[in-house]
Amino acid sequence: MSVETRNRSRPVGVDEPVDGLDGAAGLAPTQALRAIYAFFYNKKVGLTLILAAGLACLFGVLFPQMPAGVRGDPASVDGWLQSVRPSYGGWTSIMDAVGLFNVFSSPLFLTIMGLLALSITACTTHRIPVLMQTAFHPHTKVTAEFFRRARLNDRFATPLPSGEAVALIKEDAKARRVRVIEDHHGPGANLYTDKWHLAPFGTVIAHTAFVVIMAGFVVSSLTGFRDDQFTLTVGRPAEVGHGTGLVAEAISFSDTYYDNGSPKDYVTDLVLSVDGREVARQDVRVNDPLRYDGVMFHQAYFGIAAVMEIRDASGRLLFNDGVPLEWTTPDGSLSYGVLEVPGRDQELFVIGSASGRTGTGIEPGQMRIEVYPTSLDAPVGAAVLDQSGSVQIDGLTYTFEREQQFTGLLVKRDPGTGIVWLGCLLLIIGTCLTMFFRHHRIWIRVTPEAGGGSLVQLASPDRQDATFTRQFAEVAAGLAGALGEADALGEADAGGAGGAGERLEPGALEDAAVRADLMAEAGSPELGVIEQGLPEANPMEAGSPEAGSPEPDPMEQQSSDLMEEGDEPNA
Amino acid sequence: MLEISQALLLATTVLVIIALVAYVFALVAARVAKPQPASAKMTVAVGGSSAAGAAEVTRASSGDGSAAAQTSNHRAPARGIAWYGSKFTQGALILLTGSLLARFFATGHAPFSNHYEFAVSFCWGMILALVYFEHRYRVRTLAVAVLPVILAMLIYASTLSYEANPLMPALQNSPLLTLHVFTAALAYGAGVIAFGAAVMYLLSPHVRWSGWPKPDVLDELGYKAVIITFPMLTIMIILGSVWANIAWGRYWSWDPKETAALVTWLIYGAYLHARVVGGWRGRRAAWLLVLGFAAIVFTYFGNLFFGGMHSYA
């Protein structure tokens, strides 16, 4: 009713918006892109995606995953689902429908990983300017307030004049291999010192690495080839295919066992040829694949093959090779292999007793053959053959010559692998750089004092870190000792709190030195010795970074620059 | 030699039990002890001013405020029960190292190749991490949270068969076997420290004893432990991937154990990110550390239920 009233009182004009879309339509494309970019570099979004990826992976661990070779064939999928149905009962179909048996190839998982890649890319891109600024153009100007309010701060007086004190501080920094940047704006002499200023780039490297690895996965799945079941009957060459032009032959295969029956070694003496010319030969073991021209041959499995001969009614040879019995029936009693009958729309099943199994109706040395039309379940013929035995089925003569070992190889060419290794290398470098090398910064101001001496102030806003707290204390004590009276050096060494310079007031250094002493140097404190907290967070750092200001990187764990959060130093 | 190794494992278990009893006794004794009159709380302004913005540190003081006096106050007694607990823990580390060395000499390969051997190595990593963190950061109460986990794993390891089996073909890669599993032991060992610190952090609001480490200290300890766990997990997963590519022709197979390791890595990665996301610091971050260690335990035991290519481990 009220709407009607409003409409009556304010007729819709030609230029007036009639719905909310007009407002959104007014959004410039660049603004929209910026909003999308901001969404992806938001760390809460990144965190949510990481946890979502973890949860999806967990489902992939908890529930059996359908083998890749099964997914493409509806009959195989149905058979696989039947195999897990005893465990999941009526839930099997539902779980299959929601993708719980195909988690890692499901659209949801791939979407999460894609969004994660975007989030990482956006976060990294967003972070780089800040890191560049901090590493190469750090804030060197700071306020007087900064030296009083920074998380770590200390000050001491020295009898040395300002210039001499600065020179000694520089020498000390050089000895400690610390970068020094002088700021000439005053007041007094200002030095910015830091160590490992490139370490924060480790986060960029690590995050980039993750995207590179994902790119490697994509390249692996889209390019090259992988044949998981490339079988070679010993002594029977076979083309590798996939455009390699290679012919592979297993000269021999041996499987050896320890005294307790556990496997010791599987070795294929593998020869590769191109146009009849041998190009490579190697004993291929599980941990020793053969590599030729980017194609890898890995030892995967082995077994018994039935060497079969198939001739047509005219006596023409259609097939003479091994049929690997690489499959096993669900009850494990029979091994079998399948061959597409050359020139026919039929499949030949060659079946033998599994190793050690008896009472199957197939005696050792015998093979049962069954010939099926591809589209039918009923065989057109079947027979049990002794070695060298033959049978005619549907106009073809099938002869079981003998048993022979076969070796199963995994053959692949994977251009993505190199990309993945590059990503892994970057990930290790980036992670270690970030975790083990921390960017530590100390600002130092030296101002002349009445009487010819100087006041030395040190401060750092960097995030709570006991190690850096101790280092800060050591630096301050060392400088106080170096710039002060000689007889006070011992005090600096012993307590680390004050040194020779006149201590003006208790500061973080005292606490830092005492704490460092307690945590590292002191004897054996009893339980609860570290009941004190570390210095409380500076309120200026505790708040969330302002909108638009760079957020601290999670892996960097550096403080956001104090000066960037409202304590802009004096001009 | 295998018997010697097993005997050393049992001796380690005994020492850990004694150490745990010592720590618990020390904790109880410390809780019932009267507060020291001279140990007044003193507030020291950081930066010389307690005005707005100045951080404040509260620390125990002997009264005169000198660092030496404070230190001596905290040190006493020099050899309390907890000191013995610490020494027993260090003794356990030595014995367990001996156990692993004895097994190495007996089998001829690094003791990382089956479920039993990794259980022992896992224990070794946890004790090593505890000894390191105790020495480095002097937080002995941590042992009360961590030693029960170590003890449980030691007892579990003792129930497994210590018979040595020769290496199956896939495991016959000595450098990668050693590095892959060794980094896992280090990562998982530091993980239990992060777990212990997180549990203590979560318990902090319910503990009224002043000797309980402050949440900030526990938070930092957890982070320090993850600084070891995360890179080691990263290296462990990558080495496993390199090895899988050599042995199985796949650098990633979504095998249950490797996927569980990835889940663990993601959880610790989430923790590192959580520390800089407002609202996720503190308790939520601590819960992530608990979850991370649960993932470690799941990764270790998971293959018993899910099989896969790590079924021997």
Side-chain angles (χ1 to χ4, degrees), chain B residues 1-2 102-111 113 117 163-165 167:
Chain B
M1 208 56 136
L2 287 177
R103 193 165 179 92
F104 167 74
F105 289 121
T107 61
H109 60 78
S113 68
E117 290 180 348
E163 185 184 351
N165 290 315
L167 292 181

Side-chain angles (χ1 to χ4, degrees), chain B residues 46-65:
Chain B
V46 175
S49 169
S50 58
E56 291 187 345
V57 177
T58 303
R59 67 180 180 219
S61 165
S62 61
D64 61 6

